[in-house]
Amino acid sequence: MISVNGLDVVFGRGHRALRAVADASFEVEAGGVYGIVGESGSGKSTILNVLSGLNRRWNGTVTIDGERQGQRRDQDFHKKVQMVFQDPYGSLHPRHTVDRILSEPVAIHGLGQAEDRVLRALEEVGLGPEFRFRYPHQLSGGQRQRVAVARALILEPRILLLDEPTSALDVSVQAEVLNLLTGLQRRRNLTYILVSHDLAVVAHMCRRIAVMNRGVIVEELGVETLRRRAPEHPYTRQLLDASIGYNREAVATMEEFEGGV
């Protein structure tokens, strides 16, 4: 469903140029759940921005559902590929009701039956019709993220790009949203790419995982390898050690990896 080959993204020019993604390559099968994990600034969200069409300055080859993509995408592409952003507080218009937020993409794509689609989308993410005319400030963080998921689903896409979809939520709500996303993926046979710095989140949802460091995919591994704590690259092992919790000895022995950038 998704194939990325030799992807390069550079921000800035000359001596100030920053190579945010360097020669990244991976594939995601139809109906697969693929994770990209790494520290902040490792380049993982930049890859999602390229795949979604938000970033138009890149080099390499990106193929989605058999079609090679250029820097600009058409309306049919955006119906097929949708993105759920990290911060539900920032991704929803504060002066628009839930109804307007969900109806807008339906109108843009000329789908019709907006009311039925809105009610069905709300039901699918576990929100009843009573939420339809509320504003974002009248919702909890978890409810806002459910609305964001509903907005992405209302166009009936085949691919969802998930940019740290639970990191802005309370720990008690994170599991609910992850279980919601897992259920939706199975029912609709969606293809996911999940970006996260949290190895526990990635291990919960993903079958295969790319580990990024300073713009480079340093290792690709299956979730079972991750659960056995048997990665090959030392950077991945450091991430695993860090995910357990603060460990003075582990911190003292952490190394800097250049990542080839």
Side-chain angles (χ1 to χ4, degrees):
M1 181 62 77
I2 301 170
S3 176
V4 174
N5 188 34
L7 179 65
D8 274 281
V9 181
V10 177
F11 296 123
R13 296 180 180 178
H15 68 281
R16 294 187 175 181
L18 171 66
R19 197 177 182 193
V21 177
D23 196 28
S25 300
F26 61 90
E27 294 185 349
V28 187
E29 73 277 13
V33 183
Y34 190 84
I36 304 177
V37 67
E39 298 171 88
S40 296
S42 62
K44 53 192 188 300
S45 293
T46 302
I47 289 180
L48 285 197
N49 288 337
V50 170
L51 293 176
S52 66
L54 290 174
N55 186 339
R56 297 176 179 175
R57 296 176 63 94
W58 52 272
N59 292 298
T61 303
V62 174
T63 304
I64 294 179
D65 197 18
E67 297 182 8
R68 184 166 176 172
Q69 303 298 316
Q71 270 72 16
R72 295 182 179 274
R73 314 291 165 82
D74 59 19
Q75 198 171 51
D76 287 342
F77 170 86
H78 292 293
K79 188 172 182 293
K80 181 185 299 181
V81 180
Q82 282 288 301
M83 190 161 170
V84 178
F85 296 91
Q86 176 178 1
D87 183 9
Y89 296 91
S91 65
L92 304 179
H93 197 299
R95 295 188 178 181
H96 289 180
T97 63
V98 171
D99 181 74
R100 183 171 177 182
I101 289 168
L102 298 183
S103 298
E104 191 171 43
V106 176
I108 289 171
H109 288 266
L111 297 181
Q113 298 180 322
E115 182 174 355
D116 289 343
R117 290 178 183 273
V118 168
L119 292 173
R120 188 163 61 246
L122 286 173
E123 181 181 0
E124 198 161 18
V125 298
L127 298 176
E130 66 271 19
F131 289 90
R132 183 178 170 192
F133 294 105
R134 295 185 187 180
Y135 290 89
H137 73 269
Q138 296 174 311
L139 306 175
S140 68
Q143 290 167 346
R144 291 187 195 197
Q145 196 63 300
R146 287 173 185 266
V147 171
V149 172
R151 178 178 57 186
L153 290 175
I154 204 163
L155 295 178
E156 300 181 3
R158 299 184 64 188
I159 298 168
L160 280 191
L161 306 175
L162 306 169
D163 190 3
E164 306 243 24
T166 61
S167 65
L169 304 177
D170 293 340
V171 174
S172 60
V173 181
Q174 288 182 6
E176 295 178 9
V177 174
L178 290 174
N179 289 335
L180 168 69
L181 289 168
T182 299
L184 290 168
Q185 188 273 330
R186 290 172 179 168
R187 289 197 299 274
R188 290 195 175 204
N189 194 33
L190 295 166
T191 302
Y192 282 177
I193 294 185
L194 169 67
V195 155
S196 180
H197 66 276
D198 190 330
L199 283 170
V201 169
V202 172
H204 177 75
M205 289 191 63
C206 302
R207 301 171 191 170
R208 291 200 61 76
I209 299 156
V211 180
M212 291 195 73
N213 176 239
R214 298 191 178 187
V216 174
I217 295 177
V218 298
E219 183 172 4
E220 189 179 42
L221 64 160
V223 66
E224 292 305 322
T225 301
L226 186 67
R227 289 172 178 165
R228 292 197 311 270
R229 305 185 61 79
E232 294 182 2
H233 198 279
Y235 176 72
T236 309
R237 292 197 291 271
Q238 285 191 175
L239 283 182
L240 278 169
D241 289 340
S243 70
I244 298 172
Y246 182 76
N247 183 307
R248 188 182 298 274
E249 292 182 5
V251 171
T253 58
M254 287 189 76
E255 301 175 39
E256 285 287 334
F257 293 92
E258 292 300 324
V261 181

